[in-house]
Amino acid sequence: MALSVLLQFIYPPPASATVTAMTAISFLSLSNGGYKEMQGKNMQYSKMFKVEKRKESGKKVRSKIGMIVTYTPAFLAGVLSLFIFPSGDFRFTLLRSAITLHFFKRLFEVLFVHKFSGWMEVEAMVPISISYFLSTATLIYNQQLMQQLPQPPIDLKYNVGIPLFLLGIAGNFYHHYLLSKLRSDGEKQEYKIPQGGLFSLIICPHYLFEILEFWGISCISQTLYAFLFTMGTTLYLVGRSYATRKWYDSKFEDFPKDVKALIPYIF
């Protein structure tokens, strides 16, 4: 009964060991990452870079370089997919375009919006980059396998997927822009309490909109892999937002107690 209802919204899982393995790995690794963030075992990038004591011998790169390395392979996977699979239905084309636009935006922000002054551990940069690349490649490959199957009876891509994706990518960019305005070019690394937009309600609105963006991509895809990957991403960003709020609360005596981590008035 539950399976028949579920299949109204998603394609049947493909008979692919690779996709099955990546579905389990993505969900479990991202969920575990979110749990570790809440336990204080933070990935070493952005403001969390100095949370844990590290050996001076640990390899690190400038944050800007680290982020470029992190996002470029996934962006190239999206671009190349448009040439490797030149034909396909509208859903397949829409999915590839959305994921490519997502990583193009991230690279654009790294190059022209964000202001960096910190460092990123290579130990964090490499697995994140590989994760983004593999998840993007799997998402595209999995959707390509769906070309031979009938569409789910309930189509989510128009009424839910596209609006959620556009809302998410726009809201994420806007709040990244607000964050960039907190520091002038050449200014020393000095964090401030963000202002504007939804920052008066939550400390990580950029994470909230990124979650909406990925749920939009999932509703465009309508595959089990996409939904479980997005669920794992959601759990990771829940943990990261919790750690971020805890960081701000420890650094600023005047941090507003009513500002939540990710969901206004709730969490």
Side-chain angles (χ1 to χ4, degrees):
M1 176 65 178
L3 180 60
S4 63
V5 172
L6 188 62
L7 290 177
Q8 295 292 306
F9 298 92
I10 67 170
Y11 288 93
S16 168
T18 300
V19 173
T20 301
M22 282 299 299
T23 300
I25 291 170
S26 296
F27 176 73
L28 293 175
S29 61
L30 287 166
S31 302
N32 183 58
Y35 174 76
K36 286 185 175 180
E37 290 287 340
M38 298 190 79
Q39 297 299 308
K41 300 176 181 178
N42 311 106
M43 290 290 284
Q44 293 298 290
Y45 65 93
S46 187
K47 62 179 60 64
M48 299 298 177
F49 183 69
K50 294 183 178 180
V51 169
E52 297 177 343
K53 293 182 179 179
R54 305 171 313 281
K55 296 180 179 179
E56 290 298 324
S57 58
K59 293 183 178 180
K60 56 189 178 182
V61 297
R62 286 288 183 182
S63 292
K64 187 169 188 175
I65 298 299
M67 289 302 177
I68 290 173
V69 172
T70 295
Y71 298 138
T72 298
F75 170 67
L76 292 178
V79 171
L80 289 175
S81 73
L82 298 172
F83 298 95
I84 295 173
F85 305 111
S87 61
D89 62 19
F90 179 67
R91 186 190 300 275
F92 188 35
T93 301
L94 186 61
L95 174 81
R96 290 178 291 165
S97 300
I99 199 68
T100 303
L101 178 60
H102 168 76
F103 285 107
F104 172 80
K105 181 191 77 73
R106 287 195 167 187
L107 285 171
F108 178 86
E109 290 172 338
V110 170
L111 294 172
F112 304 109
V113 178
H114 297 314
K115 297 180 176 69
F116 299 96
S117 59
W119 299 83
M120 183 177 189
E121 280 192 349
V122 173
E123 187 178 347
M125 178 187 71
V126 172
I128 295 175
S129 181
I130 293 174
S131 173
Y132 282 151
F133 172 76
L134 289 179
S135 60
T136 299
T138 304
L139 185 66
I140 293 169
Y141 172 65
N142 180 52
Q143 200 71 41
Q144 193 273 334
L145 295 177
M146 299 299 106
Q147 299 291 290
Q148 305 171 13
L149 301 176
Q151 302 258 349
I154 299 177
D155 191 345
L156 299 176
K157 65 179 180 290
Y158 292 114
N159 295 330
V160 183
I162 295 175
L164 266 185
F165 172 76
L166 294 177
L167 173 63
I169 199 169
N172 180 263
F173 179 81
Y174 174 65
H175 287 90
H176 278 167
Y177 171 76
L178 292 179
L179 285 173
S180 75
K181 294 286 116 181
L182 294 176
R183 190 187 307 170
S184 302
D185 290 327
E187 186 178 347
K188 289 181 63 178
Q189 182 174 1
E190 181 180 346
Y191 287 101
K192 304 171 185 176
I193 299 175
Q195 303 290 330
L198 291 183
F199 281 116
S200 61
L201 298 175
I202 53 177
I203 200 61
C204 294
H206 48 307
Y207 288 170
L208 174 61
F209 282 103
E210 184 169 354
I211 289 171
L212 294 178
E213 183 183 349
F214 272 106
W215 280 107
I217 289 175
S218 294
C219 290
I220 291 171
S221 173
Q222 292 190 235
T223 61
L224 183 62
Y225 173 79
F227 279 116
L228 286 180
F229 172 78
T230 296
M231 179 59 72
T233 298
T234 301
L235 293 173
Y236 173 74
L237 292 177
V238 165
R240 188 74 178 183
S241 67
Y242 173 85
T244 300
R245 190 195 183 284
K246 187 175 180 181
W247 184 91
Y248 274 102
D249 196 37
S250 68
K251 296 295 181 183
F252 298 95
E253 293 183 359
D254 59 340
F255 184 76
K257 300 301 180 184
D258 57 342
V259 172
K260 301 299 184 181
L262 185 68
I263 304 173
Y265 310 111
I266 299 174
F267 174 80

